[in-house]
Amino acid sequence: MPPECSPLIACCAVPRRCGCVRRCSASFFFYYIASFYLPSTWSGSFENRNRLKALGATPYIAGDVAGNMVFLGHALGAGIVALGGALQLIPWLRTHAPTFHRWNGRVFLATVVILSLSGFYLAWIRLEPPQTLTELSPSINGVLILLFATLTLRTALARRFATHRRWALRLYLVSNAQWFLRIGVFGYFVVNQLLGREASFSDPFFISGHSAVTWCRSRCWKSTCAPKKARVRSQKPCSPEGW
């Protein structure tokens, strides 16, 4: 691994052909969110948002107009983040449509910041404050989003584009945490159902997965707090082919 490549970026250096899979899955996630929440909004059947109540998800609370609106905006914004972030990673758009890349990036940055703040409201004010590390984990992720968004913007304004791309990729990863979570959780339940096995959140899969997420977030934090010389050794881009 070249010395200028951080472990976090190196483990994300996938071949270009994987970009198509990433963009298709982001488009599917956008469609999933829109098809899940928009029909209930148009029809006024807001209680349908609690279809995943068996998994502990009750986003709709009768009488809480402000909280329900904040959650709806938070959910729909996640789809924008997934799709807009995937478009930012397309090398052709960065090269041939720089204006689109800049404006899409501004929308992406503004959206992730708003979603982080609304997430703090949903986790700490609308509901009971987090009591366990698992419940606190989304808030930690929100802090990382705000931090990475700031560094992404600062490096872009300073025209340090090699460093900007690294922070933008880190921001993309943490801002799409819920997307990755859903892929893992629902994929695990589907596979177990096909195998005729009853899955549970107490399975080793989720325990080991939580440990892996904690490790990844600690790596993000360490890479952020490391001295500047250790964090940025070269202006040469460290990225997948075409990045």
Side-chain angles (χ1 to χ4, degrees):
M1 181 174 59
E4 67 271 14
C5 297
S6 69
L8 179 63
I9 299 299
C11 67
C12 298
V14 294
R16 181 185 295 182
R17 61 179 177 272
C18 295
C20 180
V21 177
R22 179 179 61 244
R23 290 186 288 273
C24 289
S25 59
S27 301
F28 176 78
F29 184 57
F30 179 82
Y31 169 78
Y32 157 75
I33 291 178
S35 62
F36 191 91
Y37 292 105
L38 287 181
S40 64
T41 302
W42 289 334
S43 63
S45 304
F46 304 116
E47 63 278 0
N48 290 341
R49 299 177 191 171
N50 294 340
R51 282 179 287 182
L52 299 180
K53 187 175 181 179
L55 299 179
T58 54
Y60 174 73
I61 300 177
D64 184 13
V65 178
N68 292 332
M69 293 300 295
V70 170
F71 178 83
L72 177 61
H74 188 85
L76 295 178
I80 297 176
V81 167
L83 187 59
L87 293 176
Q88 287 298 93
L89 301 181
I90 301 178
W92 189 91
L93 285 177
R94 290 198 304 273
T95 303
H96 297 88
T99 301
F100 173 82
H101 176 75
R102 287 193 294 270
W103 279 102
N104 186 59
R106 291 165 183 162
V107 172
F108 177 81
L109 276 175
T111 305
V112 296
V113 170
I114 293 173
L115 292 189
S116 295
L117 298 178
S118 64
F120 291 140
Y121 166 79
L122 294 172
W124 291 87
I125 300 177
R126 191 192 190 205
L127 302 176
E128 291 293 328
Q131 302 294 330
T132 64
L133 180 60
T134 301
E135 296 174 348
L136 189 62
S137 184
S139 297
I140 298 174
N141 195 77
V143 172
L144 290 175
I145 289 175
L146 295 177
L147 184 58
F148 291 178
T150 301
L151 292 168
T152 299
L153 179 61
R154 286 182 59 184
T155 52
L157 294 176
R159 304 188 68 82
R160 292 158 44 205
F161 296 121
T163 308
H164 165 73
R165 290 166 183 162
R166 301 177 199 176
W167 286 116
L169 181 56
R170 290 166 179 152
L171 176 62
Y172 175 79
L173 292 174
V174 295
S175 61
N176 283 282
Q178 292 300 319
W179 170 30
F180 301 138
L181 175 65
R182 280 164 172 75
I183 291 177
V185 170
F186 287 106
Y188 180 78
F189 275 90
V190 169
V191 170
N192 278 271
Q193 187 175 17
L194 292 175
L195 296 176
R197 180 182 177 277
E198 184 176 353
S200 171
F201 283 106
S202 60
D203 290 351
F205 172 83
F206 292 104
I207 298 176
S208 59
H210 179 268
S211 301
V213 169
T214 303
W215 179 85
C216 288
R217 284 175 175 161
S218 67
R219 292 297 303 173
C220 287
W221 187 261
K222 289 178 181 178
S223 67
T224 304
C225 298
K228 184 176 180 180
K229 290 183 179 180
R231 192 169 66 240
V232 184
R233 294 190 180 96
S234 172
Q235 290 299 310
K236 181 180 178 181
C238 167
S239 58
E241 181 183 357
W243 176 250

